[in-house]
Amino acid sequence: IDDRLFRNAMGSFATGVTVITTEVAEEVHGMTANAFMSISLNPKLVAISIGENARMHQHIKDANQFAINILSSDQQNVSKQFSGQLNGESEITFATYKGLPILEDGLAVVTCKLYSEYVVGDHTVFIGHVTGVKLEQKDPLLFSQGKYRELKELEE
Ligand code: FAD
Ligand code: NAD
């Protein structure tokens, strides 16, 4: 199966966009990710899938914890910043929640302790045990078919 066909087909499954954040040796690191899902209610577990070549891969193992920042519709540039799609460094300010750096102005935050990890092909699936949740009244940023999009309600 052709890589491009696989990516185009996977990209037709519309998702939200998150930035994973963590801190190692007093340095904050962030990475854009859409491979995120809710796994279990009792206990509360979530999963993210991180490519083996991403710097975030080792950072999560070292920190043993991470935050998932669910982006709001006005944070397209934040997604671009943390996926290396912007030229030049922009200064990002982080708040602290449950001992983790988090983004300001997002739609929701889920903080986690690392619960388990599974090497799956060229990615590692990290399972997080949820330690905190924050939720704001905002619209989500969406990603579909390689483009950022906003929600539009269908007429009844
Ligand atoms: P880097 O490439 O070092 O960091 C990523 C970017 O964030 C760099 O530009 C860096 O300057 C910036 N940055 C990091 N920390 C800070 C900071 N403290 N302050 C300011 N800027 C900072 N990859 C996956 O493995 N899994 C996914 O689910 C996934 N989903 C994606 C979804 C979308 C919509 C997009 C666009 C990309 C996705 N990627 C995913 C790809 C991933 O975001 C990139 O490959 C990313 O560059 C890998 O980051 P890294 O950890 O190697 O770190
Ligand atoms: P794209 O067309 O490369 O991606 C569309 C979809 O394909 C993604 O939503 C994801 O479901 C899947 N995909 C893409 N690359 C993958 C990978 N290496 N491993 C597993 N699944 C993958 O979209 P784009 O706008 O060109 O993406 C920008 C960059 O971000 C690309 O370099 C892409 O590889 C990367 N990305 C990686 C993942 C991931 O690792 N899970 C997810 C999304 C985007």
Side-chain angles (χ1 to χ4, degrees), residues 13-130:
F13 184 64
T15 65
V17 183
T18 79
V19 171
I20 311 301
T21 47
T22 196
E23 187 171 338
V24 178
E26 289 176 23
E27 219 173 285
V28 176
H29 188 77
M31 186 197 116
T32 302
N34 69 346
F36 160 65
M37 67 174 160
S38 173
I39 297 283
S40 159
L41 197 58
N42 187 22
K44 293 190 175 51
L45 302 173
V46 295
I48 55 171
S49 176
I50 306 289
E52 63 189 358
N53 295 324
R55 259 173 266 208
M56 181 57 80
H57 192 263
Q58 189 60 42
H59 290 325
I60 290 178
K61 289 165 176 274
D62 292 342
N64 219 38
Q65 58 177 355
F66 56 91
I68 298 150
N69 300 264
I70 300 175
L71 300 188
S72 59
S73 55
D74 54 6
Q75 290 185 302
Q76 187 181 327
N77 273 348
V78 177
S79 175
K80 288 184 175 173
Q81 166 70 27
F82 288 101
S83 55
Q85 293 172 328
L86 286 187
N87 295 324
E89 277 282 309
S90 47
E91 195 61 34
I92 305 266
T93 44
F94 297 90
T96 303
Y97 178 64
K98 302 281 180 189
L100 278 158
I102 62 163
L103 292 173
E104 292 172 325
D105 306 322
L107 164 55
V109 176
V110 181
T111 55
C112 305
K113 295 274 181 216
L114 184 58
Y115 180 86
S116 57
E117 57 185 87
Y118 305 92
V119 176
V120 184
D122 57 13
H123 280 54
T124 297
V125 174
F126 292 102
I127 308 292
H129 192 184
V130 177

